[in-house]
Amino acid sequence: MARLCVVGTGYVGLVTGACLAGLGHGVRCVDVDSRKVEAINDGKSTIYEPGLGELVKRMVRAGRLCATTSYREALADADFTFICVGTPSQADGSTDLAYICEAGAMVADALAQRQKSKGKTAQARRHILIVKSTVPPGTTESLEPILREAGLPHVGLCMNPEFLREGNAVYDFMKPDRIVVGAMERKDAEAVMRLYSTVAAPKLKTDLRTAEMIKYASNSFLATKISFANELANMCEKFGVDVYDVADGMGHDRRIGRAFLNAGAGFGGSCFKKDVSALLHEVRHRGAEARILNAVLEINEAQPYRVVELLREALGPLTGARIALLGLAFKDNTDDVRDSAAIKVARALVDAGANVIAYDPQATANAKKELGPRIEYAASAAEALKGADACALVTEWPQFAKIPMRAFRKMKRPLVIEGRNVLDKKALKKAGIKYAGIGRKKF
Ligand code: UDX
């Protein structure tokens, strides 16, 4: 068991802290937000994520997880610090590294104080500072001068990117496809890998910049796959071919793979757009171009509006039309609406004069913060559908597949526009419901 400090209790920080405690380590989280700290110490998760609340409760009770607002307290006896603070996008696509620098400086200060109070014995003990936040290549090594100035030659630097999907984060942490640790010194990478000794996964040791780049390259590639599928969808519509049948046919090729070839209203969430934009910015800054990534973002910007176009094609002008919007979250199993295609569709429909009544199993409260009273919110899918001129499905919640056909029949005009691939097309057809979807055959 190792003693760890985790800086930041946002999405990545809380999952990392709770899961590392779950692996048997002693974890102290530090955050400036005292409400988050109190909630964690009460055994509560501050975010909606399947399995996380239960894990936090269990780890706090077991005495393996706690939180504080004090860096000195969090670092009192830790041998490893994971930096998990936000790295938001700025208007030009560049990454705001202010929180990373601030966290680095606070950790350095607390370690310097600890060294002073413990004297020479503490000086000999190695501490490893690990950046987990997604940062442009070259960022982790830029923390070195901060450590040097604080007189901390015994502190090593590592970069350990996270590949956590919202809604599956605990599973992804415990059963990852790979673990990557970049380091300046091999012994530090080995020490960080030992923290994951009970996790079965391919383990890759690299230098710092390679680890940082692996994260950007992975997210950019996944985003590229989705935009490729979306461009393919728009082509398939022209040929009267179903894009999902094509994706299935492609996916059996092991060189391609079926995952992330699901066409629809486009990707959202806190990572893909941010990371692709950041990589584009960094590449341009170095005098190069990333043409594919430009196209990936361009295709994704347009994709939500395909849902609105399909509605217009079926209904004509949308002024006064009542549209049932199924889904508000950026994907299923989350209450997160950041960069959600559903929010973009809702806004575009309202701008076109439509009346929108939306239902989402988890994200209504967060959507209200974005859309306010511009749309209505239903307590169930059936309520949203009742009396609607059409329905637009924009989030891939699996429970939408269970909506009974009689609920669709309660629409004024039974017409469904699908921006994902959830509904049972055969059942809709049998029930006499008209259907069109992104890259799908109409009936
Ligand atoms: C992503 C990465 O998957 C994860 O590894 C990284 O660490 C953080 O970013 P996340 O944003 O939580 O995770 O969700 P993900 O499941 O990747 O989906 C992102 C978006 O792409 C969603 O809006 C989803 O609806 C969309 N998507 C996904 C598609 O449109 N088609 C697909 O085939 C897959």
Side-chain angles (χ1 to χ4, degrees), residues 172-180 193 196-204:
D172 287 349
F173 194 99
M174 297 300 192
K175 295 197 183 327
D177 287 340
R178 76 304 211 180
I179 298 173
V180 176
M193 278 304 186
Y196 296 104
S197 61
T198 53
V199 179
K203 292 172 181 165
L204 286 89

Side-chain angles (χ1 to χ4, degrees), residues 162-164 166 260 262 267-268 271-272 330-331 396 420:
E162 54 81 18
F163 303 101
L164 309 173
E166 283 189 31
F260 279 73
N262 295 320
F267 58 77
C271 289
F272 283 162
F330 82 94
K331 65 170 193 180
E396 59 271 43
R420 301 286 172 193

Side-chain angles (χ1 to χ4, degrees), residues 212-224:
E212 291 164 331
M213 192 64 176
I214 286 171
K215 171 65 194 252
Y216 280 108
S218 300
N219 270 0
S220 297
F221 187 73
L222 292 172
T224 304

Side-chain angles (χ1 to χ4, degrees), residues 237-291:
E237 279 177 41
K238 304 283 173 224
F239 291 105
V241 170
D242 189 304
V243 70
Y244 275 81
D245 292 340
V246 176
D248 289 344
M250 290 167 70
H252 281 288
D253 186 325
R254 273 170 296 172
R255 295 167 303 174
I256 299 172
R258 178 62 183 81
F260 279 73
L261 280 180
N262 295 320
F267 58 77
S270 65
C271 289
F272 283 162
K273 186 177 172 193
K274 173 174 101 76
D275 293 352
V276 174
S277 306
L279 186 54
L280 260 172
H281 178 88
E282 293 300 321
V283 167
R284 273 192 201 129
H285 191 64
R286 285 160 181 78
E289 263 307 321
R291 285 165 295 175

